[in-house]
Amino acid sequence: MSAELTRGQNHPLPRNRIEIRISADVPVVAGATLADDSGRVRDADGVAHPGAPTLPGIEVPRQAAAEHRLAVDLDALPETVHRVSVLIALPAAPGGPLRFGAVAAPRAAVTSLDGTEVAGYTLAGLDAESAVVALELYRRQGAWKIRAVGQGYAQGLTALLTDQGLPQAAELARGIEEAVARGVARAVPVHADTGRSRPTAASVAGPDASGTVAGSPYDVQAPADGGSPTPEERAAAEAAAPADGPVDYTHPKRRRQSVPTVPEAPTPAPPAPADGPVPPVAGDAVGWSMDERLYNQVWGMFEDLARSTAAYRSAVDFAESRMEKDLDQVLADPRNRLGSAGDAAREAARARQAQLVDRAQAVLDRDLTQLTAESEVVEPALPPAYARWDNPVWHAYRVPTEMPMAVRLGDLHLAESDPLRIPLLVRLPLERGLWMDSGLTSTPDGGFPDAGELRHLALDTAVALAARLLAVHPAGEFGVQVIDPAGSGAAALASLTGAGVLAGPPATGAAGVAEVLGRLTERVDLVRMAVRGGAADALPPGLDTSRHLLIVNEFPHGFDDRAVTQLRYLADEGPDAGVHLLLVADREDAAAYGPLLDPLWRSLMRLTPVPDDHLADPWVGHAWTYEPCRVPPGSQVLQHVLRQVAIACTKRM
């Protein structure tokens, strides 16, 4: 859950690779200073700004814009750096505001790489200031924290940099202003929310100074909640649109800004046709490695599709409400209720509604065409952890030497975008357990599969997911254990047991359930005590410290009250100690426990063995249809991968 900070308040950082997002109503300059343990910046080499956007461990945008994303890797900072100050300033642009008190309060937020907000701070109360230190990342007893600062300077960047102890602050401030004015190394336009190239017919012309595409009729403020534009905003945008041109339904939050330079560059794009946009490129996103670039690109596609669909749905709703309003006006006059005049007015209202819907559909089709083209380029380039089972990359599979940053759990799509699929990538290590729902779920055609078939399908899907998790971890660093109280999953588990990749035979019966749960609970207890006591190296010799996935089939069969309590404990505390759950269960089977198990179900991420629209995106809240990753019928890829894992584990012993 995100923390909303007040001035002076601090908050721990759960990870060291983060993004800092700045949003304002007007274009601002974003930068950062790197200070030592005394809080002083030694020289200009300790300042990241548009003229010098890249320093070890931090990158900032190259130009002024209404929205910014700063990439920060605290582990890559020099050891002498103990404080990172994030600053924003108003550029000296003709006609622009001279003080923050004349515009709405800007906001700074710290997020994880997938966009999940950790903490945010709204810089309220500014008046004559034109430059401000928004946030501060500081090192305390080996751990990094964030502090909301909000220290403003009426004399601008010069005063701010002088206060940081920087010599020749005035000269550097002038250099920053000159770099902003001439747009140093202006990069290709991108969506600010995704950090990815998105060249379109509009973006080829380039953004204006605020980062918004020039000429867009939606140069209006986006809703505060980041959702789709309201009908009133659309009406205003439509009125502002040229009479001879179509309405642009691009979401107003889809600003464009520059892409920071990163060490590893994507494959160069082929030359663009003279009359068309630049072809999509795999890895065309911000990141320190190609895997991270692809991860961010996929999440960017996810967000783009969510917002495009939100704009389309909002436009259709507006067209419907506009038609109803026009018809109400017609019917308000008794003379128009009957006769040719009334019929003509009704026909005109319906024609206008159809025209608005057609325009919205044309814009959505354009976005879908572009996203589909990008998907066709990205999918073949995905590494095994991100790839479908039918991707040829699995045929050349080798056990990795390090854990990837994410894993693919399935695909997502919307009704308007079928057959375009977006990979569902989840960060590793898993922060919560998984629940493969074997209960009755309606299929897309409205029917229900056979209950027995669905249970078998749920376990098959769980086995494929467990095999994927085994395959993407280095040998010996991830194990799988199985609880199958009734032994009903022997056939589905045969691929795992036959390959010899399980940590032990599947546990059966009440005694087997108690033994496995007791052992894993003890392990979690020991790890938690060691971490709390600051003695992680004091764990008992021989304790297996690798991560483990516990597959539980047909829960709660074979579980007594003690076992249920232990399972809940593992679900809550296990991930931090390296124990993860994969529950294969029908919630109705556990109805006898009543609300006792509600916290358990809520703590797990629900997946389904058949398509089901139960997942929502974090931007506009669409209900996305989830589809699991299936091994193609007749394919031996799963057996091939598990053999490679087993061989690698044997060599490691």
Side-chain angles (χ1 to χ4, degrees):
M1 183 177 179
S2 173
E4 188 63 28
L5 305 180
T6 59
R7 184 172 181 176
Q9 187 177 1
N10 59 35
H11 188 76
L13 284 175
R15 54 184 59 85
N16 286 352
R17 298 183 71 183
I18 57 174
E19 287 183 350
I20 298 175
R21 303 192 178 193
I22 306 293
S23 57
D25 274 4
V26 296
V28 296
V29 179
T33 61
L34 309 183
D36 57 19
D37 53 358
S38 65
R40 296 181 60 84
V41 181
R42 295 301 180 184
D43 51 39
D45 291 339
V47 182
H49 58 84
T54 304
L55 294 179
I58 189 164
E59 297 179 37
V60 303
R62 298 173 180 266
Q63 63 188 37
E67 297 189 3
H68 291 291
R69 288 173 59 164
L70 287 68
V72 181
D73 185 353
L74 297 172
D75 292 331
L77 292 173
E79 293 184 0
T80 55
V81 174
H82 288 258
R83 184 179 303 172
V84 179
S85 297
V86 179
L87 58 95
I88 59 176
L90 292 170
L98 301 178
R99 59 189 184 90
F100 279 110
V103 298
R107 188 174 192 274
V110 176
T111 72
S112 59
L113 297 182
D114 61 3
T116 303
E117 185 170 307
V118 176
Y121 172 45
T122 300
L123 285 78
L126 298 177
D127 187 10
E129 299 89 343
S130 59
V132 61
V133 176
L135 299 173
E136 181 181 82
L137 310 177
Y138 63 97
R139 198 197 307 255
R140 180 67 54 84
Q141 297 179 346
W144 285 90
K145 293 185 177 183
I146 177 177
R147 177 184 289 119
V149 180
Q151 176 63 53
Y153 299 84
Q155 290 75 33
L157 278 173
T158 299
L160 187 154
L161 296 173
T162 300
D163 196 37
Q164 298 264 326
L166 189 71
Q168 300 178 328
E171 181 180 346
L172 178 57
R174 285 194 299 271
I176 294 174
E177 291 290 353
E178 291 172 0
V180 173
R182 65 176 181 265
V184 171
R186 189 157 182 147
V188 294
V190 301
H191 296 303
D193 282 343
T194 63
R196 306 181 307 115
S197 295
R198 180 65 63 202
T200 63
S203 65
V204 169
D208 61 16
S210 69
T212 305
V213 177
S216 169
Y218 273 147
D219 291 352
V220 295
Q221 185 176 354
D225 60 358
S228 58
T230 64
E232 291 77 10
E233 288 168 345
R234 292 200 172 278
E238 184 183 354
D244 56 349
V247 177
D248 184 353
Y249 290 99
T250 304
H251 193 281
K253 286 288 283 182
R254 300 177 88 178
R255 310 290 186 188
R256 291 173 167 84
Q257 67 182 33
S258 60
V259 180
T261 305
V262 292
E264 185 178 340
T267 305
D275 58 349
V278 178
V281 180
D284 191 8
V286 174
W288 299 91
S289 66
M290 181 56 75
D291 279 6
E292 186 174 348
R293 285 175 172 272
L294 289 168
Y295 173 83
N296 289 336
Q297 187 171 15
V298 167
W299 268 84
M301 293 166 60
F302 186 13
E303 181 174 2
D304 283 354
L305 182 55
R307 295 198 183 279
S308 292
T309 306
Y312 168 76
R313 292 178 179 178
S314 181
V316 171
D317 290 343
F318 169 70
E320 294 288 343
S321 63
R322 180 65 176 269
M323 182 182 68
E324 292 175 2
K325 181 179 179 181
D326 291 345
L327 291 176
D328 288 343
Q329 290 176 347
V330 171
L331 296 176
D333 188 346
R335 295 172 296 179
N336 292 335
R337 295 176 184 174
L338 299 173
S340 58
D343 293 340
R346 294 184 186 91
E347 187 62 30
R350 295 188 182 97
R352 181 174 179 80
Q353 183 263 349
Q355 183 184 32
L356 291 174
V357 172
D358 289 344
R359 289 179 180 178
Q361 185 65 57
V363 174
L364 178 64
D365 290 344
R366 180 200 63 196
D367 289 348
L368 290 180
T369 299
Q370 190 171 347
L371 284 168
T372 300
E374 187 171 11
S375 177
E376 291 172 351
V377 172
V378 170
E379 277 287 354
L382 295 177
Y386 303 172
R388 294 192 185 103
W389 285 112
D390 58 359
N391 192 312
V393 71
W394 285 107
H395 297 290
Y397 167 78
R398 294 293 182 270
V399 177
T401 56
E402 60 181 18
M403 182 179 69
M405 68 179 300
V407 67
R408 186 174 189 158
L409 298 185
D411 293 326
L412 299 171
H413 75 273
L414 294 169
E416 293 88 347
S417 62
D418 197 48
L420 177 62
R421 299 294 190 268
I422 302 295
L424 174 59
L425 301 183
V426 175
R427 291 295 300 270
L428 290 178
L430 296 173
E431 296 181 355
R432 57 191 297 203
L434 305 173
W435 166 30
M436 187 62 64
D437 190 355
S438 60
L440 289 179
T441 303
S442 61
T443 57
D445 58 5
F448 289 88
D450 176 77
E453 178 185 353
L454 194 60
R455 290 176 184 271
H456 179 75
L457 191 59
L459 186 55
D460 278 344
T461 307
V463 167
L465 182 54
R468 177 181 291 268
L469 289 168
L470 274 169
V472 303
H473 283 81
E477 294 187 11
F478 192 86
V480 176
Q481 301 185 52
V482 178
I483 290 179
D484 185 22
S488 59
L493 296 168
S495 56
L496 296 176
T497 55
V501 294
L502 293 180
T508 58
V513 172
E515 190 275 329
V516 172
L517 291 178
R519 177 161 35 86
L520 291 178
T521 300
E522 181 183 10
R523 171 206 158 109
V524 172
D525 284 338
L526 290 172
V527 172
R528 292 186 67 214
M529 286 190 293
V531 171
R532 283 201 305 265
D537 56 347
L539 290 170
L543 181 71
D544 183 7
T545 57
S546 63
R547 293 190 172 273
H548 280 265
L549 177 73
L550 175 61
I551 302 176
V552 179
N553 186 37
E554 292 196 347
F555 174 80
H557 182 80
F559 280 68
D560 55 20
D561 290 346
R562 176 180 173 80
V564 169
T565 301
Q566 290 176 319
L567 191 70
R568 287 183 54 188
Y569 176 73
L570 292 178
D572 293 337
E573 307 296 342
D576 289 339
V579 177
H580 310 278
L581 283 185
L582 175 50
L583 204 62
V584 183
D586 179 359
R587 189 168 182 173
E588 292 299 321
D589 291 345
Y593 286 92
L596 177 66
L597 291 183
D598 285 351
L600 173 65
W601 305 117
R602 286 196 298 266
S603 69
L604 304 175
M605 181 179 182
R606 177 175 174 255
L607 305 175
T608 55
V610 295
D612 186 63
D613 56 351
H614 64 282
L615 294 178
D617 65 77
W619 303 286
V620 292
H622 292 313
W624 292 73
T625 297
Y626 165 81
E627 294 180 359
C629 288
R630 298 194 183 287
V631 178
S635 173
Q636 297 298 310
V637 64
L638 195 65
Q639 288 76 8
H640 165 70
V641 168
L642 291 176
R643 280 197 301 270
Q644 295 294 325
V645 172
I647 292 171
C649 290
T650 302
K651 291 180 178 179
R652 189 175 180 273
M653 292 179 179

